[in-house]
Structure formats: structure tokens, C-alpha cells
């Protein structure tokens, strides 16, 4: 299992993923689940992945080699906009399924994979998509400016309560980290280190790309500060009259 989230805000994109993979309680490994394509001044695209590692790595490999779409093989460097990038990623997932789906099913392995695709191409506004194992996808909107994949239930409440499209980028980073911390505390299948990426709107290059380890001083401060703030808020609430 994993946890990845993406925020599409007024001033840009925030992408965050963990790195834990497991095939049982005694077979835990660290793999980055974030892939980035940057052509400075033209496009910047980030893909985060959840699900079967072999499937997600194969999908990224197909994207590197080129995927058949609209009668020709294309890469992420070829597509004219993010909608077509989402279509291309969906086509890559379907190619992997065509190649491996039956053999996986014969071994009792579910074809399980999902992807967050965020980025900006040219003068089009930044966009964020969630691509499913069937290759279909949905897009984040101003009403719901975030998408999640993997073990998302623990990290969703803070985003529902505090995030909006006009949230400043650095507040978005803080919310993403709090959301991830909530998941880390409640699910052992999600683990450090974390990969964080930001893309400022219209910059067309990577803003910040950071590997966050256990000893990261800022993340440690966020974890402690949020826990303390929650305890203080609880103590500050009046007791129920019927108690």
C-alpha cells in the first residue's frame, strides 16, 4: 500500500508521496513512487503511483518508450496538453494490461494500479488527474482541488476541512504534510521517506523537489506542532452540558 496526494491550487501544484512497498510483513522495501518530466520553459509533469509496483514501473517504462495513441506512438514530451497526457497515461496502463493482465490473473494477482498526473504544458493552466487501472481518469476542480491514491482515508479529513483552491502554496505544503503524517500514524503500510514536489503556476519548471527523511527538522516540527495543536483545541472545547 502507499499514500500519494496532489493539490491543484490557484498558484500551482503540490505533489507528495511515500516510498514504502511491501509484499508481506517481513518484505518491506523503499521505492520512489514519484516520476518527473521537465522541459524548462515548455512543460513540467509529475506522476505518482500506487498499487502493484511491477505494474506501475512497467507503465512508466511504456511511457518512456512511447505509447500508441491516435494512430501513432507518443511520449509525454509529445502531447500538446495535460488532457492528452492523461489519455496517454491511460493508454500506457491498458498496454501493460494487454501484455501482462492474463498472466497476472492466472497467478491470482489483481491488476491493481492508480496514478496521479499533475503538471503544466505551455500556456494552459496547471491540471491534476487521477488515472485508474482501467485507463480512465478524473480531474481535480476548483470545488475539489485535491486527489489521492492509495491509503487515503486517514489523510482526507484535514484536506476536506482546510483546503481550498485559493489556499496559498506553502499552506498547501503544510496541509499535505499533515495529511501524510495522519496516514503514517494510522497505517504501517505507508512509510518514510517522503518525496515532495511543487510547481509554481506558469513557471514551467520544478519549484521544489525534496526527499523528506525521518530526521527532517521541518517535518518533525510539523508533526509535533499539529499533535500539540489538536490536544490544545480539544482541551479548549467546552464540556457537554449533559456530561
Amino acid at each position: 500500500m502507499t499514500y500519494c496526494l496532489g493539490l491543484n491550487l490557484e498558484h500551482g501544484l503540490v505533489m507528495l508521496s511515500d516510498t514504502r512497498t511491501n509484499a508481506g510483513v517481513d518484505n518491506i522495501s523503499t521505492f520512489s513512487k514519484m516520476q518527473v518530466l521537465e522541459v524548462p520553459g515548455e512543460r513540467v509533469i509529475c506522476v505518482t503511483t500506487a498499487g502493484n509496483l511491477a505494474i506501475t514501473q512497467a507503465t512508466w517504462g511504456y511511457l518512456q518508450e512511447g505509447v500508441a495513441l491516435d494512430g501513432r506512438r507518443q511520449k509525454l514530451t509529445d502531447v500538446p496538453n495535460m488532457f492528452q497526457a492523461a489519455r496517454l497515461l491511460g493508454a500506457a496502463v491498458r498496454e501493460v494490461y494487454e501484455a501482462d493482465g492474463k498472466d497476472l490473473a492466472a497467478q491470482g494477482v489483481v491488476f491493481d494500479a492508480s496514478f496521479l498526473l499533475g503538471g503544466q504544458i505551455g500556456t494552459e493552466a496547471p491540471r491534476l488527474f487521477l488515472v485508474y487501472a482501467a485507463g480512465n481518469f478524473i480531474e481535480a476542480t476548483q470545488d475539489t482541488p485535491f486527489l489521492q491514491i492509495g491509503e487515503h482515508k486517514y489523510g482526507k479529513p484535514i484536506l476536506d476541512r482546510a483546503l481550498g483552491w485559493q489556499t496559498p502554496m506553502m499552506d498547501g505544503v503544510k496541509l499535505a504534510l499533515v495529511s501524510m503524517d495522519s496516514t503514517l500514524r494510522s497505517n504501517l503500510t505507508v512509510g518514510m521517506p517522503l518525496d515532495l514536489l511543487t510547481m509554481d503556476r506558469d513557471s514551467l519548471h520544478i519549484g521544489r523537489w525534496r526527499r523528506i527523511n525521518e530526521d527532517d527538522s521541518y517535518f518533525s516540527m510539523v508533526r509535533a506542532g499539529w499533535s500539540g495543536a489538536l490536544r490544545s483545541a480539544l482541551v479548549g472545547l467546552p464540556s457537554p452540558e449533559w456530561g
Side-chain angles (χ1 to χ4, degrees):
M1 187 54 75
T2 188
Y3 179 43
C4 304
L5 68 155
L7 316 179
N8 187 13
L9 306 174
E10 181 179 12
H11 298 294
L13 291 161
V14 178
M15 309 288 287
L16 181 65
S17 63
D18 84 314
T19 56
R20 176 165 292 178
T21 64
N22 63 29
V25 294
D26 60 348
N27 187 9
I28 296 174
S29 302
T30 298
F31 285 89
S32 178
K33 300 164 190 175
M34 178 180 290
Q35 304 291 340
V36 182
L37 168 70
E38 181 186 34
V39 182
E42 179 190 308
R43 68 188 64 206
V44 57
I45 298 172
C46 177
V47 177
T48 64
T49 63
N52 184 292
L53 184 64
I55 295 171
T56 58
Q57 287 188 343
T59 301
W60 182 251
Y62 273 67
L63 287 170
Q64 299 294 97
E65 295 293 324
V67 178
L69 183 67
D70 296 334
R72 63 189 182 94
R73 300 201 75 81
Q74 303 182 55
K75 302 178 182 179
L76 287 174
T77 52
D78 302 321
V79 293
N81 55 57
M82 288 300 298
F83 178 79
Q84 295 302 324
R87 290 188 63 215
L88 189 69
L89 177 52
V93 178
R94 286 190 288 268
E95 283 203 17
V96 175
Y97 181 79
E98 287 297 320
D100 301 330
K102 290 182 179 180
D103 291 332
L104 289 172
Q107 297 296 320
V109 178
V110 177
F111 192 87
D112 175 32
S114 54
F115 306 80
L116 293 182
L117 170 73
Q120 182 175 6
I121 297 176
T123 59
E124 181 186 49
R127 300 175 76 174
L128 175 66
F129 297 87
L130 192 167
V131 181
Y132 297 101
N136 56 329
F137 52 85
I138 62 172
E139 182 176 5
T141 66
Q142 289 188 21
D143 291 327
T144 305
F146 69 91
L147 293 171
Q148 305 164 282
I149 54 175
E151 188 56 83
H152 62 269
K153 58 182 176 291
Y154 303 106
K156 188 173 185 292
I158 182 61
L159 301 177
D160 286 334
R161 287 178 180 273
L163 186 75
W165 185 69
Q166 294 181 323
T167 298
M169 285 281 285
M170 289 302 97
D171 286 349
V173 169
K174 288 186 283 186
L175 281 167
L177 292 175
V178 169
S179 176
M180 180 64 75
D181 179 52
S182 299
T183 306
L184 290 168
R185 288 176 179 272
S186 299
N187 193 305
L188 292 176
T189 67
V190 179
M192 304 282 283
L194 312 176
D195 288 324
L196 172 70
L197 180 80
T198 66
M199 311 176 209
D200 295 324
R201 185 187 180 107
D202 297 330
S203 66
L204 294 175
H205 65 77
I206 297 168
R208 303 158 194 86
W209 193 358
R210 184 176 181 84
R211 171 61 64 91
I212 299 173
N213 293 295
E214 291 279 3
D215 59 355
D216 186 277
S217 59
Y218 181 76
F219 185 58
S220 297
M221 182 274 294
V222 168
R223 304 184 84 169
W226 181 246
S227 295
L230 283 176
R231 287 191 291 269
S232 296
L234 177 63
V235 171
L237 290 173
S239 298
E241 295 180 359
W242 40 262

